[in-house]
Amino acid sequence: MDSDALNTFLVVHRRGGISNAAKALHRSQPAISRRIALLEQELGVPLFERVAGKTRLSDAGRVMVPYAERAVAAAEDAENAVRALLRDSAGPVSLAVTGTLAGSRLSRVLKRFVARHPDVALTLRTATSAEVSDLIRRGEATIGLRYDRDRSADLDCELLFAEPLQVVCAPDHPLAGKRVAKLADLGDEKWIAFPEVPGRREITASHVFALFQSAGLGEIEWTAVDSLTAQKRLVDAGFGIALLSQSNAAEELGSGAIATIRVGNLTARHDVVAVVRRGGFLSAASRRLLEIIRREFSSKRVAR
């Protein structure tokens, strides 16, 4: 039973017969008769009967009407909703973002998008990079922002920018604003970093510890802190130093709450990528949001 068959049934009922329904639907009478016959065959009961030369609903037909009306209306609602996605001003958009990317730059993107598209139902979720990919893959999010490319064949990843990492410290740290030759020169420092949680891998945490190990800092003294804000507060308070991306520390560096230690051999970067489902449908609103994200992040592109 499909919506076209139910709509044909309703038109025959409302127009009072096959002939008038054929005119209204711009089909032949045999085609309308066949459609009704197939529907009656599927249901196993007649929906119409001839009384005094007129086509009237049978008892089964009268029972069928309200259900057919609701089904046809629901199909029309679905069609209208899908068509609305083709307009910039409507439709749902779901964005999944790695938590440390949900900063001031993303806030500007969302503010601009919402101002231009007030009728779009925009939702935002934060997750680890791996979880962002999973949300996109399952269709629970439309666009994802994460660290590093996902190599899965069912996802498309677009590099937005490669952001340099830097060592940050308290403003009164002895090395604040100074330069060391290599990362290993900071081996005696207390470090603050994201924890590596089994089964919930985060690219940024793995990247930082890989850098430590490659620099001969496998046995550093460090404190695991799973909040970026808490990390920066602890750095400000002098509890340790941290390796953060430029955008994550920009506000505090600008206000003087924290400072940097320049490291001569530190060239590490985090790749920030946009993720969508390969072959998945992107509404006009989703495409518009992706365009704004690209423009906002274009100034941060780093040649590689």
Side-chain angles (χ1 to χ4, degrees), residues 92-96 121-125 136 139-144 286 289:
V93 178
S94 178
L95 182 63
L122 177 64
T123 58
L124 175 66
R125 296 178 63 172
I136 298 298
E140 295 179 25
T142 313
I143 301 170
S286 298
L289 176 58

Side-chain angles (χ1 to χ4, degrees), residues 234-245:
L234 290 174
V235 169
D236 179 13
F239 278 87
I241 64 177
L243 190 60
L244 302 178
S245 63

Side-chain angles (χ1 to χ4, degrees), residues 227-237 244 248-249 252 258:
S227 164
L228 176 62
T229 299
Q231 285 188 17
K232 291 185 287 188
R233 297 295 180 267
L234 290 174
V235 169
D236 179 13
L244 302 178
N248 285 339
E252 288 77 12
I258 60 177

Side-chain angles (χ1 to χ4, degrees), residues 140-158:
E140 295 179 25
T142 313
I143 301 170
L145 293 177
R146 56 163 283 165
Y147 291 108
D148 203 9
R149 294 180 182 273
D150 190 307
R151 309 299 174 180
S152 299
D154 51 356
L155 298 176
D156 283 328
C157 295
E158 175 186 349

